[in-house]
Amino acid sequence: MKQIHAIIAVLLLTAAVIPAQAADLKVFACEPEWAALTKLLAGDHADINTATTAHQDPHHIQARPSLIARMRGADLAVCTGAGLEIGWLPMLQRQSGNPAVQNGKPGLFDAAMQVERLEVPEVSDRAMGDIHPEGNPHVQMDPRRIATIATVLTARLKQIDPAHAADYDARGADFGNRWQTAITRWDEMAKPLLGVRVVVHHKSWAYLFDWLGIEEAGQLEPKPGVPPSAGHLAELKAELTARPAKMVIYAAYQDNRAVDWLSKEAGIPAVELPFTVGGTAGANDLFGLYDDTLKRMLGALHADH
Ligand SMILES: [Zn+2]
């Protein structure tokens, strides 16, 4: 009996201690890559909720009540920005009524706005089906840009949670070192991909190609966000006959019917890539995202020879 009392006492004590040890910062991550980066930079100081998975198109998400509720309690929302979430994030911000995560507040972190963006249109062209109104938002596929984003995100974490500033500095420095080592390794590993022509489904890979010097040979979508049409695919096939490509790549969430068609017609491998953390079994964290992407592309390149 004495023992049971002792156990109960320990349990009560533990229960009383847990709230004090709970994470100080509630983070709403729009996409898995930003959840993964925040986890690396904040560790146990952040309690992170991820709004989407690798198997969803981040351009098109339903602003469900459960997401609104999570946004309501957030101290910090870490999103891509640059218009990627324009169809759902503004509604979450509005409906949540959370003043901390509104535009221009420190509680809203737009990752893509912290780096130089590619494909910024001179005139916004949304009526024509362009879903990249502020340039290409898919910045997570360039690790050099991730390094910049990590530095700015560390500063933001310190601003919102100053009590742990020293810890964020230490974690940021540790991540920066490990990330730089990984980039050196990836640069070496990816050398055979330099100058290789690759067809894409959506313009999801502009930053990967910018980093590695891969040439975009064409897109299955006639315009970003517009589904492949028979006419456009026929044109693309003709172009590839004149100037062949080595592979066609697509994200785990994308419909692969047009990919399979082109792969067969052009006689090139179709390669599914993770695009974000969780997109493939190998992409189980931010490092794995790049390891697996390169492994899969190099595998397709070698299979082709
Ligand atoms: Zn896009």
Side-chain angles (χ1 to χ4, degrees):
M1 202 62 185
K2 220 174 181 179
Q3 219 172 0
I4 289 170
H5 281 148
I7 290 169
I8 289 170
V10 167
L11 286 175
L12 287 174
L13 195 66
T14 312
V17 163
I18 283 170
Q21 288 180 335
D24 302 273
L25 208 57
K26 293 220 171 342
V27 176
F28 179 101
C30 284
E31 289 85 26
E33 63 272 25
W34 307 130
L37 182 61
T38 308
K39 181 76 193 160
L40 284 162
L41 297 176
D44 291 340
H45 296 314
D47 174 10
I48 304 166
N49 255 300
T50 315
T52 60
T53 74
H55 298 284
Q56 291 176 295
D57 179 349
H59 285 293
H60 302 291
I61 298 296
Q62 290 288 324
R64 300 188 311 275
S66 62
L67 290 181
I68 295 167
R70 284 192 245 166
M71 186 61 110
R72 189 169 293 138
D75 302 305
L76 173 65
V78 183
C79 297
T80 299
L84 176 70
E85 302 98 345
I86 200 140
W88 52 284
L89 184 59
M91 192 183 289
L92 294 183
Q93 290 172 289
R94 206 164 44 242
Q95 300 276 330
S96 73
N98 180 352
V101 296
Q102 302 303 317
N103 293 356
K105 292 290 164 66
L108 179 67
F109 184 85
D110 281 339
M113 303 309 274
Q114 315 305 326
V115 293
E116 187 202 341
R117 271 161 295 126
L118 302 172
E119 302 166 3
V120 178
E122 283 178 24
V123 183
S124 186
D125 193 20
R126 297 204 77 202
M128 297 296 288
D130 191 349
I131 54 169
H132 294 167
E134 293 173 61
N136 193 312
H138 305 295
V139 295
Q140 82 276 14
M141 290 315 305
D142 177 358
R144 301 166 308 176
R145 282 174 167 88
I146 292 278
T148 304
I149 291 164
T151 303
V152 189
L153 184 53
T154 293
R156 190 66 65 88
L157 289 166
K158 288 166 62 181
Q159 183 184 353
I160 294 182
D161 182 20
H164 297 113
D167 222 20
Y168 292 130
D169 274 334
R171 284 189 159 271
D174 174 60
F175 170 76
N177 288 336
R178 288 193 295 135
W179 196 246
Q180 215 48 59
T181 305
I183 290 178
T184 306
R185 179 166 56 82
W186 292 324
D187 279 340
E188 187 60 32
M189 191 177 161
K191 273 183 180 163
L193 292 166
L194 179 68
V196 166
R197 283 168 54 77
V198 174
V199 180
V200 302
H201 185 295
H202 174 70
K203 286 183 82 68
S204 309
W205 315 99
Y207 295 91
L208 180 75
F209 291 6
D210 180 56
W211 167 40
L212 296 176
I214 294 171
E215 189 187 334
E216 191 171 286
Q219 306 106 36
L220 295 178
E221 291 181 339
K223 276 175 175 293
V226 177
S229 63
H232 174 71
L233 289 178
E235 262 176 48
L236 183 57
K237 189 193 154 191
E239 273 170 40
L240 293 179
T241 306
R243 289 189 67 206
K246 289 288 189 189
M247 67 189 82
V248 50
I249 62 175
Y250 64 105
Y253 72 82
Q254 282 160 346
D255 177 21
N256 59 0
R257 278 172 302 178
V259 171
D260 288 343
W261 180 86
L262 190 80
S263 167
K264 220 165 89 199
E265 292 291 320
I268 54 175
V271 187
E272 186 186 61
L273 298 179
F275 187 55
T276 183
V277 174
T280 56
N284 52 3
D285 64 10
L286 217 46
F287 291 86
L289 170 61
Y290 289 94
D291 281 329
D292 203 47
T293 297
L294 295 182
K295 201 174 104 191
R296 284 166 179 257
M297 291 186 78
L298 290 165
L301 194 63
H302 295 138
D304 192 52
H305 288 302

